[in-house]
Amino acid sequence: MEEIDGYNLDFLPENILIDVLSFLNVRELVRAGRVCKRWKRLVKDQKLWRFVDLTTWKRVSSRTLWVLLRQYLGCGLRSLRLRGLLLSARGGTFLSESWLQALSTKCPRLRKLYLLHTDLRGLTGCHLLPPSLQMLELSSCELPLGFFNQILPSSTVQERAEPSSSEGARLQELCQKERKLCSPSGTKIETLVLNNVPSFTDHHLQSLNSWERLSRLELRDTFRVTANGLRSCAAKDGACGVEGLSRLKFLEIGINGRQGYQLQMASLGLGAGWLGLEELSLGGREVGPGLLCASRLKDLKRLCLWACTLSEMQIVRSCRLLRGLRQLEFVDVVFQSRQSSSVLDGDGSGEEEPHGEDSAAAGDSNHEENETLDAFSSLRRSLALQLPFCTYVFTNCSVQINAD
């Protein structure tokens, strides 16, 4: 026992200590680095700084970000989550151009950036973000008007490359190099998620046409995006080939908040057709208008409907023309049931009906379960006749039972 009491954490190997430290959050890691010189060296190990989440740290300032970047963040950083000062009484500058440039230099492997309650109006554009980013998620942020614009517009590049002969070829090659250096399309961002960003408008959406690598776009509670904005960005055949968001494979549109808010249904813009769009997710108030236009998406392979109320007839009529559909998913969907005469009238077997409150409650429960199963079975049969090669997934769905 005396030998056991003599052991402490100093006897543990460094790899085990690093595994123990990995269970701490950022603030606890910084405090652990003040214990001793050995712990200070272990805390700076890049294995502990691959996925950094600062959203739970309420008093993060620009000074704190500089300290973390200079002492801890490095080439091991893969994902960074930050919470700004948009809703704070202190205010002030949170993300500066100099800090973002230093982040790009010191963390060349950063792939995901999540910003919460961040005011980005002090930045000239998204070209200041690290060029290694593949995913950008903005939640409850404020954006300037030209945040997604590229420095050198593609139209200017085409105009400068119009002259023929060797001079035109040389100008075209030069313009291509300038586009790679100056445009945000060189940032390799493939996924853009916007969650409750009221300042995001049709102008921002049209600016994404120059993002050549963008393949996944999620618009959640973006109230100022209209159907005309989606129509103008839809991938379609043009004079110079496919125009618009031609590389986009996944699109999500959903609005759940702000009850009573006067909105234009942005999903109506899907009616223009969208070449190459393979996956579509609709939620909230955008499900009904989106289903009316989904039949024109000829390349659609996967459709997800969430947080809405639908009827069997509405689903079958909207999906019957999607011959290429391979997966139809329902998440948190309430289905409107159809009254079944066989259930209401009974099966005529002549068995004695149950009496009493317990029996009545059991009968109501069994009736609701039967009606729920009948609704799902009826929907599956109807869809199977129209889409025989499609699979159906139901997650946390229910059936609306009529009071009668």
Side-chain angles (χ1 to χ4, degrees):
M1 293 296 295
E2 294 179 358
E3 295 180 356
I4 297 177
D5 295 337
Y7 290 103
N8 53 35
L9 292 178
D10 294 336
F11 291 91
L12 295 177
E14 292 187 354
N15 59 338
I16 295 180
L17 286 176
I18 291 176
D19 291 339
V20 174
L21 292 174
S22 64
F23 291 94
L24 304 179
N25 56 36
V26 176
R27 196 168 186 175
E28 293 170 346
L29 275 178
V30 174
R31 291 178 177 177
R34 303 171 184 171
V35 174
C36 60
K37 293 183 179 180
R38 185 192 183 195
W39 280 42
K40 183 178 181 180
R41 177 172 54 84
L42 292 177
V43 164
K44 292 185 178 181
D45 191 287
Q46 288 302 300
K47 294 181 180 178
L48 300 175
W49 300 94
R50 291 182 179 178
F51 307 97
V52 178
D53 187 1
L54 296 175
T55 56
T56 58
W57 194 344
K58 297 182 179 180
R59 296 184 178 181
V60 177
S61 60
S62 58
R63 180 181 179 182
T64 305
L65 293 180
W66 275 111
V67 172
L68 292 175
L69 182 59
R70 289 170 179 171
Q71 298 185 11
Y72 301 100
L73 302 182
C75 60
L77 185 63
R78 301 293 190 275
S79 175
L80 179 61
R81 297 171 61 89
L82 298 177
R83 181 177 182 177
L85 306 174
L86 186 61
L87 303 180
S88 175
R90 295 179 296 160
T93 303
F94 182 68
L95 292 181
S96 61
E97 294 185 8
S98 58
W99 188 86
L100 289 174
Q101 293 175 358
L103 179 67
S104 304
T105 304
K106 196 172 182 181
C107 306
R109 299 180 181 178
L110 180 62
R111 298 293 183 264
K112 299 180 181 180
L113 179 61
Y114 171 81
L115 299 178
L116 172 65
H117 298 162
T118 306
D119 191 355
L120 301 175
R121 290 173 292 185
L123 303 179
T124 57
C126 62
H127 63 277
L128 297 173
L129 299 176
S132 59
L133 284 183
Q134 295 181 357
M135 178 178 179
L136 176 63
E137 183 173 355
L138 305 178
S139 180
S140 301
C141 297
E142 286 292 338
L143 302 175
L145 184 60
F147 184 75
F148 297 107
N149 289 340
Q150 61 180 10
I151 296 179
L152 185 62
S154 58
S155 59
T156 307
V157 173
Q158 294 177 358
E159 291 176 0
R160 292 174 57 181
E162 279 182 1
S164 56
S165 71
S166 60
E167 183 180 358
R170 185 176 61 84
L171 286 175
Q172 185 176 6
E173 183 179 358
L174 179 62
C175 292
Q176 290 178 356
K177 291 181 180 180
E178 290 179 353
R179 285 187 63 187
K180 291 181 180 179
L181 293 176
C182 300
S183 67
S185 60
T187 57
K188 302 179 181 180
I189 294 181
E190 301 175 357
T191 301
L192 178 61
V193 181
L194 298 166
N195 186 9
N196 191 18
V197 183
S199 57
F200 187 82
T201 62
D202 291 341
H203 178 79
H204 295 96
L205 187 61
Q206 294 175 3
S207 302
L208 298 178
N209 290 334
S210 60
W211 288 35
E212 298 177 356
R213 297 176 181 266
L214 187 64
S215 61
R216 186 183 183 95
L217 178 61
E218 301 181 16
L219 305 176
R220 307 168 187 168
D221 288 343
T222 51
F223 303 100
R224 299 178 66 183
V225 175
T226 64
N228 293 331
L230 277 183
R231 291 191 188 101
S232 62
C233 295
K236 49 186 175 295
D237 292 328
C240 301
V242 181
E243 300 175 350
L245 296 174
S246 58
R247 293 184 178 270
L248 199 65
K249 301 298 180 183
F250 178 91
L251 176 63
E252 178 174 344
I253 306 174
I255 294 181
N256 278 332
R258 298 193 182 185
Q259 296 294 331
Y261 195 79
Q262 298 296 328
L263 301 172
Q264 298 186 31
M265 296 301 178
S267 57
L268 287 174
L270 298 173
W274 205 301
L275 297 178
L277 189 64
E278 298 180 355
E279 300 183 28
L280 176 65
S281 179
L282 297 173
R285 305 179 185 179
E286 299 292 342
V287 172
L291 280 177
L292 295 175
C293 305
S295 59
R296 301 188 180 183
L297 304 177
K298 304 301 181 182
D299 300 326
L300 195 64
K301 297 181 180 179
R302 180 178 177 270
L303 177 61
C304 179
L305 308 176
W306 48 274
C308 59
T309 302
L310 296 171
S311 63
E312 177 182 337
M313 183 178 299
Q314 186 179 8
I315 297 172
V316 174
R317 285 183 175 180
S318 302
C319 299
R320 62 184 178 182
L321 298 179
L322 298 175
R323 297 299 180 180
L325 199 64
R326 294 295 177 264
Q327 182 176 348
L328 182 57
E329 184 176 359
F330 302 93
V331 180
D332 295 328
V333 176
V334 178
F335 296 98
Q336 297 177 354
S337 63
R338 298 187 305 176
Q339 291 184 355
S340 176
S341 59
S342 60
V343 175
L344 296 177
D345 298 339
D347 55 1
S349 59
E351 296 181 357
E352 184 179 358
E353 297 182 357
H355 299 280
E357 295 181 357
D358 296 338
S359 300
D364 293 340
S365 178
N366 293 334
H367 174 69
E368 292 181 0
E369 292 179 0
N370 293 334
E371 192 168 354
T372 301
L373 294 176
D374 291 341
F376 286 120
S377 300
S378 176
L379 178 60
R380 286 179 180 272
R381 288 193 301 267
S382 301
L383 290 174
L385 295 175
Q386 305 291 339
L387 306 172
F389 301 104
C390 183
T391 59
Y392 310 99
V393 180
F394 298 86
T395 304
N396 196 23
C397 296
S398 59
V399 177
Q400 184 179 4
I401 307 298
N402 295 330
D404 296 337

